[in-house]
Amino acid sequence: MPGANTDDSGTSAETSQSTANQSDANRDPPSNGDYASVYESAVDSVTQMETSSGQGTGFVYDESHLVTNAHVVGDATELDVRFRNGEWRSGTVVGTDVYSDLAAVRVDERPEYATPLPFIDGDPVVGEEVLVIGNPYGLDGTLTTGVVSGVNRSLPSSLGYDIPDAVQTDAAANPGNSGGPIVSLDGKVIAVINSGGGDNIAFGISAALAQRVVPSLIENGEYDHAYMGVSLATVTPAIAEPNDLENPRGVIVERVRSGGPSDGVLQPSTGTAVVDGTRVPTGGDIIVALDGTEIASLEELSSYLALETSPDETISVTVIRDGQEQSVELTLGTRPRPRV
């Protein structure tokens, strides 16, 4: 189907490359690294996480907290943490966010050798070498290597929302790696492993998103995501044609949730057309920029909302409406809690 739809930011119920490109230009990735030395500098900070329902990986975030995946901790409030030299500690889950699949765990009296792993500044660069350290199938301290294969990916979740700004790598990641770090050759965390096990494809939650979410999990136990209350689709050539667009660009508003932030501000699709045998939306606003940042796809919109905005913030949305470009002001809401 042309332009997979979402519900809005970070959403496949709602999901900026220009922003990412600007960040990439400011970051020079390390090269010609010594895998063994990078591994030795980082592995002491990587832990095994065990609950009654399974196991995964985590890593030291600050003096008292570890980062892992929300799906690793599940519904647990306590879990067992094993450090590099075999010491076990009890961990307390202080916060989880299912929309980014991140969790923060407090551990008292962690071993002194297990020091916090820093995150990268800026965005990873496609082609730079990376290491994945974790516990696949319970094999503790396992190292795999590869490169950054892609950035600004959207990861579908069972909740109907996408995790935005994800990092793709060809470094092997398997069950048990979840929650562990993807590390650059200067020993900094590029992303938190979220999923793997495919043919040379694994994904991680970006350092940029993790650095927004984790501090709030530690302080408040949760994280509030910005929310537009719309369903969107990337404008493809098939969508551009019946909407009288000379070039495909932006995202089309398919639906607006009644009573949501965009109700009365953005206009939804009013009809459909069949193009080359596929039914596509027509007549809705086409979003082409947020606060002056060009939006070319659903992934770019999702990443911008996730990394640059907060609930209750008012942003300028540039749309093409009835063939004319104009800007409207939209006050973002808070993404509703998932239904259990």
CSV table of all heavy atoms in Angstrom, one decimal, residues 14-65:
chain,number,residue,atom,x,y,z
A,14,GLU,N,0.5,7.1,15.0
A,14,GLU,CA,1.0,8.4,14.4
A,14,GLU,C,2.5,8.3,14.3
A,14,GLU,O,3.2,8.0,15.2
A,14,GLU,CB,0.8,9.6,15.4
A,14,GLU,CG,-0.2,10.5,14.8
A,14,GLU,CD,-0.4,11.8,15.6
A,14,GLU,OE1,0.5,12.3,16.2
A,14,GLU,OE2,-1.5,12.2,15.6
A,15,THR,N,3.2,8.2,13.1
A,15,THR,CA,4.6,8.4,13.1
A,15,THR,C,4.7,9.9,13.0
A,15,THR,O,3.8,10.4,12.6
A,15,THR,CB,5.3,7.6,12.0
A,15,THR,OG1,5.5,6.3,12.5
A,15,THR,CG2,6.4,8.0,11.4
A,16,SER,N,14.1,13.9,11.4
A,16,SER,CA,13.8,14.6,10.1
A,16,SER,C,15.1,14.4,9.4
A,16,SER,O,16.1,14.4,10.0
A,16,SER,CB,13.4,16.0,10.5
A,16,SER,OG,13.9,17.2,10.6
A,17,GLN,N,14.8,13.9,8.1
A,17,GLN,CA,16.1,13.5,7.6
A,17,GLN,C,17.0,14.7,7.4
A,17,GLN,O,18.2,14.6,7.6
A,17,GLN,CB,15.8,12.8,6.2
A,17,GLN,CG,17.1,12.1,5.7
A,17,GLN,CD,17.3,10.8,6.4
A,17,GLN,OE1,16.4,10.1,6.8
A,17,GLN,NE2,18.6,10.5,6.7
A,18,SER,N,16.4,15.9,7.1
A,18,SER,CA,17.2,17.1,7.1
A,18,SER,C,17.9,17.3,8.4
A,18,SER,O,19.1,17.7,8.4
A,18,SER,CB,16.4,18.3,6.6
A,18,SER,OG,15.3,18.5,7.6
A,19,THR,N,17.2,17.1,9.5
A,19,THR,CA,17.8,17.2,10.8
A,19,THR,C,18.9,16.3,11.0
A,19,THR,O,20.0,16.6,11.5
A,19,THR,CB,16.7,17.1,11.9
A,19,THR,OG1,15.6,18.0,11.7
A,19,THR,CG2,17.3,17.2,13.3
A,20,ALA,N,18.6,15.0,10.6
A,20,ALA,CA,19.7,14.0,10.8
A,20,ALA,C,20.9,14.3,10.0
A,20,ALA,O,22.0,14.2,10.4
A,20,ALA,CB,19.1,12.6,10.4
A,21,ASN,N,20.7,14.8,8.7
A,21,ASN,CA,21.8,15.1,7.9
A,21,ASN,C,22.7,16.2,8.5
A,21,ASN,O,23.9,16.2,8.4
A,21,ASN,CB,21.3,15.5,6.5
A,21,ASN,CG,20.8,14.3,5.7
A,21,ASN,OD1,21.1,13.2,6.1
A,21,ASN,ND2,20.0,14.6,4.7
A,22,GLN,N,22.0,17.2,9.1
A,22,GLN,CA,22.7,18.3,9.7
A,22,GLN,C,23.6,17.8,10.9
A,22,GLN,O,24.7,18.2,11.1
A,22,GLN,CB,21.7,19.4,10.2
A,22,GLN,CG,21.1,20.1,9.1
A,22,GLN,CD,19.9,21.0,9.6
A,22,GLN,OE1,19.6,21.1,10.8
A,22,GLN,NE2,19.2,21.6,8.6
A,23,SER,N,23.0,16.8,11.7
A,23,SER,CA,23.7,16.3,12.8
A,23,SER,C,24.9,15.5,12.3
A,23,SER,O,26.0,15.5,12.9
A,23,SER,CB,22.8,15.4,13.7
A,23,SER,OG,21.8,16.2,14.2
A,24,ASP,N,24.7,14.7,11.2
A,24,ASP,CA,25.8,13.9,10.7
A,24,ASP,C,27.0,14.7,10.3
A,24,ASP,O,28.1,14.3,10.5
A,24,ASP,CB,25.3,13.1,9.5
A,24,ASP,CG,24.3,12.0,9.9
A,24,ASP,OD1,24.2,11.7,11.1
A,24,ASP,OD2,23.8,11.4,8.9
A,25,ALA,N,26.7,15.9,9.7
A,25,ALA,CA,27.7,16.8,9.3
A,25,ALA,C,28.6,17.3,10.4
A,25,ALA,O,29.8,17.6,10.2
A,25,ALA,CB,27.2,18.0,8.5
A,26,ASN,N,28.1,17.2,11.6
A,26,ASN,CA,28.8,17.7,12.8
A,26,ASN,C,29.5,16.6,13.5
A,26,ASN,O,30.2,16.9,14.5
A,26,ASN,CB,27.8,18.4,13.8
A,26,ASN,CG,27.2,19.6,13.2
A,26,ASN,OD1,27.8,20.3,12.4
A,26,ASN,ND2,25.9,19.9,13.6
A,27,ARG,N,29.4,15.4,13.1
A,27,ARG,CA,30.0,14.3,13.8
A,27,ARG,C,30.9,13.5,12.9
A,27,ARG,O,30.6,13.1,11.8
A,27,ARG,CB,28.9,13.4,14.3
A,27,ARG,CG,29.5,12.2,15.1
A,27,ARG,CD,28.4,11.4,15.8
A,27,ARG,NE,29.0,10.3,16.5
A,27,ARG,CZ,29.1,9.1,15.9
A,27,ARG,NH1,28.6,8.9,14.7
A,27,ARG,NH2,29.7,8.1,16.6
A,28,ASP,N,32.2,13.3,13.3
A,28,ASP,CA,33.2,12.5,12.5
A,28,ASP,C,33.3,11.2,13.3
A,28,ASP,O,33.9,11.1,14.4
A,28,ASP,CB,34.5,13.2,12.5
A,28,ASP,CG,34.4,14.5,11.6
A,28,ASP,OD1,33.7,14.5,10.6
A,28,ASP,OD2,35.1,15.5,12.0
A,29,PRO,N,32.8,10.1,12.7
A,29,PRO,CA,32.9,8.8,13.4
A,29,PRO,C,34.3,8.3,13.5
A,29,PRO,O,35.1,8.6,12.6
A,29,PRO,CB,32.0,7.9,12.6
A,29,PRO,CG,32.0,8.5,11.2
A,29,PRO,CD,32.1,10.0,11.4
A,30,PRO,N,34.7,7.6,14.6
A,30,PRO,CA,36.0,7.1,14.7
A,30,PRO,C,36.2,6.0,13.6
A,30,PRO,O,35.2,5.4,13.1
A,30,PRO,CB,36.1,6.5,16.1
A,30,PRO,CG,34.6,6.3,16.4
A,30,PRO,CD,33.8,7.3,15.7
A,31,SER,N,37.4,5.7,13.3
A,31,SER,CA,37.7,4.7,12.3
A,31,SER,C,38.9,3.9,12.7
A,31,SER,O,39.7,4.2,13.6
A,31,SER,CB,38.0,5.3,10.9
A,31,SER,OG,39.0,6.2,11.0
A,32,ASN,N,39.0,2.7,12.0
A,32,ASN,CA,40.2,1.8,12.3
A,32,ASN,C,40.4,1.5,13.7
A,32,ASN,O,41.4,1.5,14.3
A,32,ASN,CB,41.5,2.5,11.8
A,32,ASN,CG,41.4,2.8,10.3
A,32,ASN,OD1,40.9,2.0,9.5
A,32,ASN,ND2,41.9,3.9,9.9
A,33,GLY,N,39.2,1.1,14.4
A,33,GLY,CA,39.3,0.8,15.8
A,33,GLY,C,39.8,-0.6,16.1
A,33,GLY,O,39.8,-1.5,15.2
A,34,ASP,N,40.3,-0.8,17.3
A,34,ASP,CA,40.8,-2.0,17.8
A,34,ASP,C,39.6,-2.7,18.5
A,34,ASP,O,39.2,-2.2,19.6
A,34,ASP,CB,41.9,-1.8,18.7
A,34,ASP,CG,42.5,-3.1,19.3
A,34,ASP,OD1,41.8,-4.1,19.3
A,34,ASP,OD2,43.6,-3.1,19.8
A,35,TYR,N,38.9,-3.7,17.9
A,35,TYR,CA,37.7,-4.2,18.5
A,35,TYR,C,38.0,-4.7,19.9
A,35,TYR,O,37.2,-4.6,20.8
A,35,TYR,CB,37.2,-5.4,17.7
A,35,TYR,CG,36.7,-5.0,16.3
A,35,TYR,CD1,36.6,-6.0,15.3
A,35,TYR,CD2,36.2,-3.7,16.0
A,35,TYR,CE1,36.1,-5.6,14.0
A,35,TYR,CE2,35.7,-3.4,14.8
A,35,TYR,CZ,35.7,-4.3,13.8
A,35,TYR,OH,35.2,-4.0,12.6
A,36,ALA,N,39.1,-5.4,20.1
A,36,ALA,CA,39.4,-6.0,21.4
A,36,ALA,C,39.5,-4.9,22.5
A,36,ALA,O,38.9,-5.0,23.6
A,36,ALA,CB,40.7,-6.7,21.4
A,37,SER,N,40.1,-3.8,22.2
A,37,SER,CA,40.3,-2.7,23.2
A,37,SER,C,38.9,-2.0,23.5
A,37,SER,O,38.6,-1.6,24.6
A,37,SER,CB,41.3,-1.7,22.8
A,37,SER,OG,41.0,-1.0,21.6
A,38,VAL,N,38.1,-1.8,22.4
A,38,VAL,CA,36.8,-1.2,22.6
A,38,VAL,C,35.9,-2.1,23.5
A,38,VAL,O,35.2,-1.7,24.4
A,38,VAL,CB,36.1,-0.9,21.3
A,38,VAL,CG1,34.7,-0.4,21.5
A,38,VAL,CG2,36.9,0.0,20.4
A,39,TYR,N,36.0,-3.4,23.2
A,39,TYR,CA,35.2,-4.4,23.9
A,39,TYR,C,35.7,-4.4,25.4
A,39,TYR,O,34.8,-4.3,26.3
A,39,TYR,CB,35.5,-5.8,23.4
A,39,TYR,CG,34.8,-6.9,24.2
A,39,TYR,CD1,33.5,-7.2,24.0
A,39,TYR,CD2,35.6,-7.7,25.0
A,39,TYR,CE1,32.9,-8.2,24.8
A,39,TYR,CE2,35.1,-8.7,25.8
A,39,TYR,CZ,33.7,-9.0,25.7
A,39,TYR,OH,33.2,-10.0,26.4
A,40,GLU,N,37.0,-4.4,25.7
A,40,GLU,CA,37.4,-4.4,27.1
A,40,GLU,C,37.0,-3.1,27.8
A,40,GLU,O,36.8,-3.1,29.0
A,40,GLU,CB,38.9,-4.6,27.1
A,40,GLU,CG,39.4,-6.0,26.8
A,40,GLU,CD,38.8,-7.0,27.7
A,40,GLU,OE1,38.7,-6.7,28.9
A,40,GLU,OE2,38.4,-8.1,27.2
A,41,SER,N,36.9,-2.0,27.1
A,41,SER,CA,36.6,-0.8,27.7
A,41,SER,C,35.1,-0.7,28.1
A,41,SER,O,34.7,0.1,28.9
A,41,SER,CB,37.0,0.4,26.9
A,41,SER,OG,36.1,0.5,25.7
A,42,ALA,N,34.3,-1.5,27.4
A,42,ALA,CA,32.8,-1.4,27.5
A,42,ALA,C,32.2,-2.5,28.2
A,42,ALA,O,31.2,-2.4,28.9
A,42,ALA,CB,32.2,-1.2,26.1
A,43,VAL,N,32.8,-3.7,28.1
A,43,VAL,CA,32.1,-4.9,28.6
A,43,VAL,C,31.8,-5.0,30.1
A,43,VAL,O,30.8,-5.5,30.5
A,43,VAL,CB,32.9,-6.2,28.2
A,43,VAL,CG1,34.2,-6.3,29.0
A,43,VAL,CG2,32.0,-7.5,28.3
A,44,ASP,N,32.6,-4.3,30.9
A,44,ASP,CA,32.4,-4.3,32.3
A,44,ASP,C,31.1,-3.6,32.7
A,44,ASP,O,30.5,-3.7,33.8
A,44,ASP,CB,33.6,-3.6,33.1
A,44,ASP,CG,34.8,-4.6,33.1
A,44,ASP,OD1,34.6,-5.8,32.8
A,44,ASP,OD2,35.8,-4.1,33.5
A,45,SER,N,30.6,-2.7,31.8
A,45,SER,CA,29.4,-1.9,32.0
A,45,SER,C,28.2,-2.6,31.5
A,45,SER,O,27.1,-2.0,31.7
A,45,SER,CB,29.6,-0.5,31.4
A,45,SER,OG,30.7,0.1,31.9
A,46,VAL,N,28.3,-3.8,30.9
A,46,VAL,CA,27.2,-4.5,30.3
A,46,VAL,C,26.8,-5.6,31.2
A,46,VAL,O,27.6,-6.3,31.8
A,46,VAL,CB,27.5,-5.0,28.9
A,46,VAL,CG1,26.3,-5.8,28.3
A,46,VAL,CG2,28.0,-3.9,28.0
A,47,THR,N,25.4,-5.7,31.4
A,47,THR,CA,24.9,-6.7,32.4
A,47,THR,C,23.9,-7.6,31.8
A,47,THR,O,23.4,-7.4,30.7
A,47,THR,CB,24.2,-5.9,33.6
A,47,THR,OG1,23.0,-5.2,33.0
A,47,THR,CG2,25.1,-4.9,34.2
A,48,GLN,N,23.7,-8.7,32.6
A,48,GLN,CA,22.7,-9.7,32.2
A,48,GLN,C,21.5,-9.4,33.1
A,48,GLN,O,21.6,-9.2,34.3
A,48,GLN,CB,23.1,-11.1,32.4
A,48,GLN,CG,22.1,-12.1,32.0
A,48,GLN,CD,22.7,-13.5,32.0
A,48,GLN,OE1,23.9,-13.7,31.6
A,48,GLN,NE2,21.9,-14.5,32.4
A,49,MET,N,20.3,-9.3,32.5
A,49,MET,CA,19.1,-9.0,33.2
A,49,MET,C,18.2,-10.2,33.2
A,49,MET,O,17.9,-10.7,32.2
A,49,MET,CB,18.3,-7.8,32.6
A,49,MET,CG,19.2,-6.7,32.1
A,49,MET,SD,20.0,-5.7,33.4
A,49,MET,CE,18.7,-4.6,33.8
A,50,GLU,N,17.7,-10.7,34.4
A,50,GLU,CA,16.9,-11.9,34.5
A,50,GLU,C,15.6,-11.6,35.3
A,50,GLU,O,15.7,-11.0,36.4
A,50,GLU,CB,17.6,-13.0,35.1
A,50,GLU,CG,18.8,-13.5,34.2
A,50,GLU,CD,19.2,-14.9,34.6
A,50,GLU,OE1,18.6,-15.5,35.5
A,50,GLU,OE2,20.1,-15.5,34.0
A,51,THR,N,14.5,-12.0,34.7
A,51,THR,CA,13.2,-11.9,35.4
A,51,THR,C,12.6,-13.4,35.4
A,51,THR,O,13.2,-14.3,34.8
A,51,THR,CB,12.2,-11.0,34.7
A,51,THR,OG1,11.8,-11.6,33.4
A,51,THR,CG2,12.8,-9.6,34.4
A,52,SER,N,11.5,-13.5,36.0
A,52,SER,CA,10.9,-14.9,36.1
A,52,SER,C,10.4,-15.3,34.7
A,52,SER,O,10.2,-16.5,34.5
A,52,SER,CB,9.7,-14.8,37.0
A,52,SER,OG,8.7,-13.9,36.6
A,53,SER,N,10.3,-14.4,33.7
A,53,SER,CA,9.8,-14.7,32.4
A,53,SER,C,10.8,-14.8,31.3
A,53,SER,O,10.5,-15.1,30.2
A,53,SER,CB,8.7,-13.8,32.0
A,53,SER,OG,9.1,-12.4,32.0
A,54,GLY,N,12.1,-14.4,31.6
A,54,GLY,CA,13.1,-14.4,30.6
A,54,GLY,C,14.3,-13.6,31.0
A,54,GLY,O,14.5,-13.2,32.1
A,55,GLN,N,15.2,-13.4,30.0
A,55,GLN,CA,16.4,-12.7,30.3
A,55,GLN,C,16.8,-11.8,29.1
A,55,GLN,O,16.4,-12.0,28.0
A,55,GLN,CB,17.6,-13.7,30.6
A,55,GLN,CG,18.0,-14.6,29.5
A,55,GLN,CD,19.2,-14.0,28.7
A,55,GLN,OE1,20.0,-13.2,29.2
A,55,GLN,NE2,19.3,-14.4,27.4
A,56,GLY,N,17.6,-10.8,29.4
A,56,GLY,CA,18.1,-9.9,28.3
A,56,GLY,C,19.4,-9.3,28.8
A,56,GLY,O,20.1,-9.8,29.6
A,57,THR,N,19.6,-8.1,28.3
A,57,THR,CA,20.9,-7.4,28.5
A,57,THR,C,20.5,-6.0,29.0
A,57,THR,O,19.5,-5.4,28.7
A,57,THR,CB,21.7,-7.3,27.2
A,57,THR,OG1,22.0,-8.6,26.8
A,57,THR,CG2,23.0,-6.6,27.4
A,58,GLY,N,21.4,-5.3,29.7
A,58,GLY,CA,21.3,-3.9,30.1
A,58,GLY,C,22.7,-3.3,30.2
A,58,GLY,O,23.7,-4.0,29.9
A,59,PHE,N,22.8,-2.1,30.4
A,59,PHE,CA,24.1,-1.4,30.6
A,59,PHE,C,24.0,-0.3,31.6
A,59,PHE,O,22.9,0.2,31.9
A,59,PHE,CB,24.7,-1.0,29.3
A,59,PHE,CG,23.9,0.1,28.6
A,59,PHE,CD1,24.1,1.4,28.7
A,59,PHE,CD2,23.0,-0.3,27.6
A,59,PHE,CE1,23.4,2.4,28.0
A,59,PHE,CE2,22.2,0.6,26.9
A,59,PHE,CZ,22.5,1.9,27.1
A,60,VAL,N,25.1,0.1,32.2
A,60,VAL,CA,25.1,1.1,33.2
A,60,VAL,C,24.9,2.5,32.6
A,60,VAL,O,25.6,2.9,31.7
A,60,VAL,CB,26.5,1.1,34.0
A,60,VAL,CG1,26.5,2.1,35.1
A,60,VAL,CG2,26.7,-0.3,34.6
A,61,TYR,N,23.9,3.2,33.2
A,61,TYR,CA,23.6,4.5,32.7
A,61,TYR,C,24.2,5.6,33.5
A,61,TYR,O,24.7,6.6,33.0
A,61,TYR,CB,22.1,4.7,32.6
A,61,TYR,CG,21.6,6.0,32.2
A,61,TYR,CD1,21.6,6.5,30.9
A,61,TYR,CD2,21.1,6.9,33.2
A,61,TYR,CE1,21.2,7.8,30.6
A,61,TYR,CE2,20.6,8.2,32.9
A,61,TYR,CZ,20.7,8.6,31.5
A,61,TYR,OH,20.3,9.9,31.2
A,62,ASP,N,24.0,5.5,34.8
A,62,ASP,CA,24.6,6.5,35.8
A,62,ASP,C,25.0,5.7,37.0
A,62,ASP,O,25.1,4.5,37.0
A,62,ASP,CB,23.7,7.7,36.0
A,62,ASP,CG,22.4,7.3,36.7
A,62,ASP,OD1,22.3,6.2,37.3
A,62,ASP,OD2,21.4,8.1,36.7
A,63,GLU,N,25.3,6.4,38.1
A,63,GLU,CA,25.8,5.8,39.3
A,63,GLU,C,24.9,4.8,39.9
A,63,GLU,O,25.4,3.8,40.6
A,63,GLU,CB,26.2,6.9,40.3
A,63,GLU,CG,27.3,7.9,39.9
A,63,GLU,CD,28.6,7.1,39.6
A,63,GLU,OE1,29.0,6.3,40.3
A,63,GLU,OE2,29.2,7.5,38.5
A,64,SER,N,23.6,4.9,39.7
A,64,SER,CA,22.6,4.0,40.3
A,64,SER,C,21.7,3.3,39.4
A,64,SER,O,20.9,2.5,39.8
A,64,SER,CB,21.8,4.8,41.4
A,64,SER,OG,22.6,5.4,42.3
A,65,HIS,N,21.8,3.6,38.1
A,65,HIS,CA,20.7,3.1,37.2
A,65,HIS,C,21.3,2.4,35.9
A,65,HIS,O,22.4,2.7,35.5
A,65,HIS,CB,19.8,4.2,36.7
A,65,HIS,CG,19.1,4.9,37.8
A,65,HIS,ND1,19.6,6.0,38.5
A,65,HIS,CD2,17.9,4.6,38.4
A,65,HIS,CE1,18.7,6.3,39.4
A,65,HIS,NE2,17.7,5.5,39.4
